[in-house]
Amino acid sequence: MNTIHIGSVGEENMKEAEAFSTTTNHHKQPLDAGALFVLKSKGSWWHSGYHLTTSIVAPPLLSLPFAFASLGWTAGVLSLVIGAVVTFYSYNLISLVLEHKAELGHRHLRFRDMAYDILGPGWGRYYVGPIQFMVCYGAVVGNILLGGQCLKAIYVLWNPNGTMKLYEFVVIFGALMLVLAQIPSFHSLRHINLISLVLCLLYSAFYLHRYKFYNLLSLSFINLFTFFVCFFLGNSSNGPHKNYSLSNNDETRIFGIFNAIAIIATTFGNGIIPEIQATLAPPVKGKMFKGLCVCYTVVIATFFSVAVSGYWAFGNESAGLILSNFIDHDGNPLVPRWFIMMINIFTILQLSAVAVVYLQPTNEVLERAFVDPTKSEFSTRNVIPRVISRSISVILATTIAAMLPFFGDINAMIGAFGFLPLDFVLPVVFYNLTFKPSRRRVLFWLNSSIAVIFSVIGVTAAVAAVRQISLDAKNYKLFANV
């Protein structure tokens, strides 16, 4: 098996790159700058666990009670279980396909390269590549918007009569992202993403010993605080009236169901499994499975606790972001102000990590286009275009987030158009086409059924997401202060 360890820069980089190919036409070519500098293959299976946890167990899971409001208890819990089982299964299938290709001497570092090899040039270039870019960049936009909303929540809490607008806070969070976007490679994020794992399991702030653990602290408090606040309010006499009934309008109920499914798909979505596996140092066999086991341990603990406690506490009044339910309709906090402030601060910290992770495919594309792989990674020739291109990317995402403040709707649309095909459909298709299991085997029909069922759900959910955006657009305007 041909392997590569991408580490240093300059001549050493090029010697290693010449011995490896990221192309899919079975002709070895040097690595381009995107693969060489952004997707460095230096990580361990623990690092893959950090990346997976940060990319999946993210603040958008705070939308799960809102999804339950359209599904009810039984369908909600069942959808969450199915989402967990199918995505864990699908991500393992992608990993197995990548390992098999690597054993044949064709290790793919990108989702589009994988599609190019298995489905053909047209599918890789015109479908999978654009869909993945839309998903990842859309996730960046959504996280920047949510970061601005959290900043505004803190501001309103302490200055109810303040005049600052939502878009101003989005710009402030965008400025933070402008700095973090300059982190050079995916592998460099392992210190930040470690925080998104350890404290989720330990829930202990005293474990921290260096700055690199701050995001892990944030995620633990986000989920732990959300769970206990929901439990407190659900039992409090001052809490909201609980109503778990579904809409009596058939059209609203049906479209709401598919919109909720799209939100759940987005919450479980990843879309960058090949890129995460690319950060592993060869040999990669079995490493992603260990990373996924770590990740889904955290998924089970957080997703179900937040979804169930949030819906139990607020019923069909659950907001698109459950944190919004901690303040009543008159703007009065239902829990101590410092509590809401703290949970918003930790959410902001976690959002910064998630947004940087989903910036990596965009950074890889920009690096490939503007950076010279024959030069040092930190040479003037490469640093200047890197800083300029990444800054423009973040500024554009911040502008879109400020213009379109529909976080819940954006979440559903990204899930319908992107995460459902990338994470539910394509993995089983890739596996069947690569390993060609016999039609007499249950595995073939299981994979085929998953592909067909989730393709139908994806199309329907896309229609529901677009419909919901069109309905909400009547209530919002560009740069709305919501």
Side-chain angles (χ1 to χ4, degrees):
M1 180 179 69
N2 296 318
T3 60
I4 183 170
H5 181 81
I6 306 174
S8 59
V9 296
E11 293 182 1
E12 183 179 350
N13 274 343
M14 293 312 300
K15 288 179 181 178
E16 294 179 352
E18 288 170 359
F20 186 80
S21 171
T22 61
T23 61
T24 57
N25 57 6
H26 306 288
H27 295 289
K28 296 183 179 182
Q29 298 176 3
L31 285 170
D32 56 69
L36 194 61
F37 297 139
V38 178
L39 304 176
K40 294 182 178 180
S41 302
K42 299 175 64 178
S44 67
W45 69 269
W46 271 108
H47 297 151
S48 71
Y50 308 158
H51 299 321
L52 287 164
T53 302
T54 299
S55 61
I56 297 176
V57 189
L61 71 87
L62 300 176
S63 297
L64 288 175
F66 174 73
F68 270 44
S70 296
L71 295 170
W73 278 115
T74 303
V77 173
L78 184 61
S79 296
L80 211 57
V81 171
I82 292 174
V85 171
V86 174
T87 52
F88 183 82
Y89 175 70
S90 297
Y91 295 153
N92 274 291
L93 291 188
I94 291 182
S95 180
L96 290 173
V97 172
L98 288 168
E99 288 178 4
H100 178 71
K101 293 293 182 179
E103 290 173 354
L104 297 177
H106 306 287
R107 187 181 178 198
H108 302 307
L109 305 185
R110 308 177 181 93
F111 214 129
R112 63 180 181 273
D113 293 339
M114 190 178 181
Y116 188 103
D117 185 22
I118 298 173
L119 300 178
W123 283 94
R125 183 177 296 114
Y126 301 113
Y127 179 72
V128 175
I131 286 291
Q132 187 199 28
F133 181 84
M134 179 197 73
V135 164
C136 294
Y137 201 69
V140 173
V141 172
N143 279 282
I144 291 176
L145 172 58
L146 186 52
Q149 290 176 333
C150 291
L151 285 172
K152 182 189 173 185
I154 295 173
Y155 174 77
V156 171
L157 197 64
W158 295 101
N159 187 13
N161 299 318
T163 59
M164 291 184 68
K165 308 299 183 183
L166 175 61
Y167 66 84
E168 296 177 84
F169 295 103
V170 171
V171 171
I172 292 173
F173 188 83
L176 170 64
M177 289 307 307
L178 202 61
V179 176
L180 295 179
Q182 309 308 325
I183 295 175
S185 69
F186 210 148
H187 183 64
S188 302
L189 298 178
R190 68 193 185 280
H191 301 303
I192 293 177
N193 292 341
L194 174 59
I195 305 168
S196 295
L197 171 64
V198 179
L199 283 189
C200 289
L201 303 175
L202 302 181
Y203 294 113
S204 171
F206 297 105
Y207 186 77
L208 308 183
H209 69 277
R210 286 205 284 160
Y211 78 95
K212 67 182 182 179
F213 293 101
Y214 81 90
N215 263 326
L216 184 52
L217 175 64
S218 72
L219 187 57
S220 68
F221 274 95
I222 291 169
N223 294 289
L224 188 62
F225 281 9
T226 301
F227 173 77
F228 281 114
V229 169
C230 290
F231 183 78
F232 169 76
L233 293 177
N235 283 306
S236 172
S237 59
N238 296 324
H241 173 70
K242 301 174 187 178
N243 184 354
Y244 305 114
S245 63
L246 302 178
S247 173
N248 294 322
N249 184 288
D250 291 340
E251 180 183 351
T252 301
R253 186 169 65 252
I254 292 173
F255 278 107
I257 289 172
F258 285 102
N259 199 50
I261 290 174
I263 291 174
I264 292 175
T266 303
T267 308
F268 279 105
N270 180 280
I272 51 175
I273 292 294
E275 284 78 3
I276 291 177
Q277 188 155 328
T279 66
L280 293 172
V284 300
K285 191 173 183 62
K287 292 181 179 178
M288 279 292 284
F289 178 77
K290 294 178 182 178
L292 282 166
C293 287
V294 171
C295 173
Y296 272 77
T297 299
V298 181
V299 164
I300 292 172
T302 55
F303 280 40
F304 286 85
S305 62
V306 170
V308 172
S309 65
Y311 183 55
W312 172 76
F314 301 105
N316 55 20
E317 294 296 320
S318 298
L321 181 65
I322 197 64
L323 301 183
S324 301
N325 286 109
F326 297 169
I327 300 176
D328 65 19
H329 297 298
D330 297 323
N332 301 313
L334 300 176
V335 293
R337 292 175 183 271
W338 66 266
F339 208 86
I340 297 178
M341 183 175 180
M342 184 174 291
I343 197 171
N344 276 284
I345 290 174
F346 287 126
T347 302
I348 290 168
L349 293 175
Q350 176 62 15
L351 284 166
S352 65
V354 177
V356 172
V357 165
Y358 280 104
L359 265 176
Q360 296 312 303
T362 302
N363 291 344
E364 183 272 320
V365 170
L366 295 172
E367 210 98 336
R368 186 178 189 181
F370 300 113
V371 172
D372 186 352
T374 65
K375 305 292 184 182
S376 169
E377 179 180 8
F378 300 106
S379 65
T380 303
R381 162 64 183 82
N382 287 338
V383 169
I384 292 177
R386 177 183 298 123
V387 171
I388 293 175
S389 61
R390 292 187 181 192
S391 298
I392 293 174
S393 171
V394 172
I395 291 171
L396 179 60
T398 303
T399 303
I400 295 172
M403 289 175 61
L404 306 172
F406 317 133
F407 176 73
D409 295 347
I410 290 176
N411 214 16
M413 186 177 68
I414 291 174
F417 282 97
F419 284 121
L420 274 166
L422 286 181
D423 296 328
F424 292 82
V425 178
L426 286 177
V428 294
V429 172
F430 286 166
Y431 186 90
N432 278 6
L433 292 177
T434 300
F435 293 99
K436 296 180 173 58
S438 171
R439 291 175 180 267
R440 297 179 179 178
R441 295 182 59 190
V442 174
L443 182 62
F444 173 84
W445 292 107
L446 173 64
N447 290 347
S448 300
S449 298
I450 290 175
V452 172
I453 291 172
F454 283 96
S455 293
V456 173
I457 291 175
V459 172
T460 310
V463 174
V466 172
R467 173 184 177 273
Q468 190 62 44
I469 288 177
S470 66
L471 292 175
D472 289 344
K474 299 176 183 178
N475 302 319
Y476 297 123
K477 60 181 179 180
L478 295 181
F479 299 99
N481 185 37
V482 296

